Amino acid sequence: MSAVLAAMPQPRHTEPRDLPHWSEWLAGQLDPYWRADEWNSETNVFAGSVDNPLTAAYYCRVVRCTAMVEAFNSFCSACEYHRRKEKAEGRADFAETHQPGVRHARQIGKSQFTLAPLSATVRTEILYALQQRDQLKVILVPARIRCLTANLPAGLGSLFDLSPGFLASLEKLQSATFRGLMDQLVRARTEHEGSDPTAGDIWDCRLVGLLAGKGREYRATAGTIDFTGLRQAWLREVTKEYGRQVRPTVIELRFTVQAASIASAALVSRPYGDTPGKLQLADMSTVVDAFRTAANPKTRKPYGDKHRRALLGHWRRFLERARLLGLMEAAATVASFAGLLGPPQRARDTRLTRLRLGLAAVVGGRSHAPARATSW
Ligand SMILES: [Zn+2]
């Protein structure tokens, strides 16, 4: 057990005086080539391009108008004004025939924002967050940044200096934009301070940086992964270390924790549940029973066969990988359980055969399996 715990990486705490200044550190994380066609680092002005699918910038729906709009297939304010003035709302050919005036055709402000009036730190913070959101494939809406920066108090030193009331003062879209930026900055600050977001028993997804799920190739930015349901310290630490080293997606890790919590609840009733080195096959049969009868803790209804099989699969993969990573040395019997879930082998030990029967009941979906193995 001590070997398992000793393998746990300790939180990396660094004295604040050793840290480079937040602003300097963050500036060092910026991509100097970010959106070279749109961002001007000399003037600190962003001008959205209609050619970038990650920018909400489009030409006005009127064919001859070169004004920019932020919603696809919409009219700029000047063309909209003329459309109403000419009572052309119902005219399908307005977009093709309207001849806009020269003056408004030049307006491009809709797709722009400037960070020039902001302090260097706030500017760096917003730029960093926008760059990170590009990696998440979040479409940049210039007007949202424009409105947000207009709402920031004059002379603000850092977005972290804003009062809690600031978020409440924003309207819905603004507040979503602000939260989206802060999600990136909170994670960056954790990295800057060198603290370990995986040290505790509840992980904040926006800090740990795991991918959201299969087919969702972006970092999860919301929710938590809760290990507190794992009641044995050894199982909790092994599961957390598995999350750190394997770095599964958030969805996979939640499944793994759910599966482990079924095993954990079963081990509570066993005399050596907290002592992995003393666990025997009989304890594993209790775990098998628990999977066979697992119920949704919210509804108390038994899980369906498919879900039960999926949970058992997660438990097996967890055990196999944890064993390969050397995390299960103190719980060799538990680790051997994974092998029993694999392809059939010639089992000379009748206890193993009976354990297989119990497992078959889980995998085969028979809810009333014969022979409760706990009586061995
Ligand atoms: Zn127009």
Side-chain angles (χ1 to χ4, degrees):
M1 184 54 219
S2 56
V4 174
L5 287 178
M8 304 295 131
Q10 298 301 308
R12 302 179 305 276
H13 291 298
T14 312
E15 289 299 317
R17 63 175 174 275
D18 294 330
L19 293 176
H21 190 272
W22 161 242
S23 183
E24 292 165 20
W25 180 86
L26 197 64
Q29 311 298 311
L30 290 179
D31 172 5
Y33 305 107
W34 179 70
R35 293 188 182 233
D37 294 340
E38 298 176 305
W39 171 247
N40 184 330
S41 56
E42 300 286 318
T43 59
N44 293 309
V45 170
F46 179 93
S49 161
V50 291
D51 296 325
N52 190 339
L54 278 180
T55 307
Y58 311 92
Y59 284 122
C60 169
R61 192 170 155 188
V62 168
V63 176
R64 294 189 185 88
C65 178
T66 53
M68 308 281 265
V69 293
E70 282 165 341
F72 179 68
N73 218 18
S74 66
F75 294 102
C76 73
S77 55
C79 289
E80 182 61 25
Y81 169 78
H82 283 285
R83 198 163 76 105
R84 293 192 179 181
K85 192 178 169 191
E86 296 170 24
K87 295 190 172 24
E89 284 96 332
R91 263 177 47 201
D93 65 339
F94 177 81
E96 281 74 40
T97 57
H98 179 62
Q99 180 64 56
V102 176
R103 197 162 141 249
H104 86 263
R106 287 190 186 135
Q107 63 177 191
I108 57 167
K110 271 266 184 185
S111 63
Q112 292 183 331
F113 64 80
T114 175
L115 301 183
L118 306 173
S119 72
T121 301
V122 173
R123 193 157 58 227
T124 304
E125 287 172 339
I126 292 178
L127 262 185
Y128 174 83
L130 290 176
Q131 293 183 2
Q132 293 298 308
R133 280 161 68 82
D134 268 12
Q135 293 182 20
L136 302 178
K137 304 282 183 261
V138 177
I139 290 179
L140 196 166
V141 185
R144 302 242 182 100
I145 306 301
R146 207 167 55 237
C147 295
L148 182 68
T149 53
N151 278 322
L152 294 175
L156 182 70
S158 161
L159 292 180
F160 287 98
D161 295 342
L162 287 165
S163 71
F166 176 77
L167 185 61
S169 73
L170 298 174
E171 54 93 10
K172 202 174 166 188
L173 280 178
Q174 284 297 304
S175 129
T177 302
F178 180 69
R179 275 202 310 271
L181 297 181
M182 289 309 290
D183 281 348
Q184 302 305 322
L185 292 170
V186 167
R187 187 183 52 76
R189 195 141 104 157
T190 305
E191 198 180 320
H192 170 248
E193 290 168 353
S195 54
D196 182 358
T198 67
D201 289 340
I202 298 178
W203 293 2
D204 183 340
C205 289
R206 65 182 177 163
L207 300 185
V208 295
L210 296 176
L211 291 179
K214 199 176 176 184
R216 302 184 194 179
E217 302 300 312
Y218 51 84
R219 285 195 311 270
T221 55
T224 57
I225 301 165
D226 187 349
F227 296 85
T228 57
L230 308 179
R231 295 181 238 178
Q232 297 77 17
W234 69 270
L235 183 56
R236 197 164 56 238
E237 290 306 323
V238 168
T239 312
K240 283 161 65 178
E241 186 58 16
Y242 168 85
R244 292 184 193 109
Q245 293 197 26
V246 175
R247 299 197 65 74
T249 66
V250 166
I251 290 175
E252 285 171 350
L253 188 53
R254 283 202 182 116
F255 261 121
T256 300
V257 173
Q258 189 186 1
S261 68
I262 292 172
S264 170
L267 290 174
V268 165
S269 65
R270 305 298 296 173
Y272 296 115
D274 287 312
T275 318
K278 291 188 177 180
L279 289 173
Q280 299 297 317
L281 278 173
D283 299 302
M284 294 306 97
S285 69
T286 307
V287 170
V288 170
D289 272 354
F291 274 96
R292 198 173 62 213
T293 57
N296 185 326
K298 288 180 183 165
T299 62
R300 293 175 185 265
K301 287 184 180 170
Y303 286 127
D305 292 344
K306 193 177 168 190
H307 191 63
R308 212 167 47 224
R309 279 197 295 274
L311 285 172
L312 189 69
H314 280 283
W315 175 243
R316 175 177 58 79
R317 284 191 291 279
F318 161 66
L319 292 181
E320 281 174 350
R321 289 175 186 174
R323 184 178 54 173
L324 287 173
L325 291 169
L327 303 175
M328 302 296 283
E329 285 171 11
T333 306
V334 185
S336 69
F337 183 73
L340 296 174
L341 293 168
Q345 299 165 7
R346 192 185 303 164
R348 276 168 294 185
D349 188 331
T350 52
R351 291 180 305 160
L352 293 186
T353 308
R354 294 181 70 178
L355 180 54
R356 281 188 181 286
L357 276 175
L359 291 169
V362 179
V363 178
R366 277 182 283 138
S367 56
H368 300 290
R372 280 181 63 84
T374 46
S375 60
W376 297 345

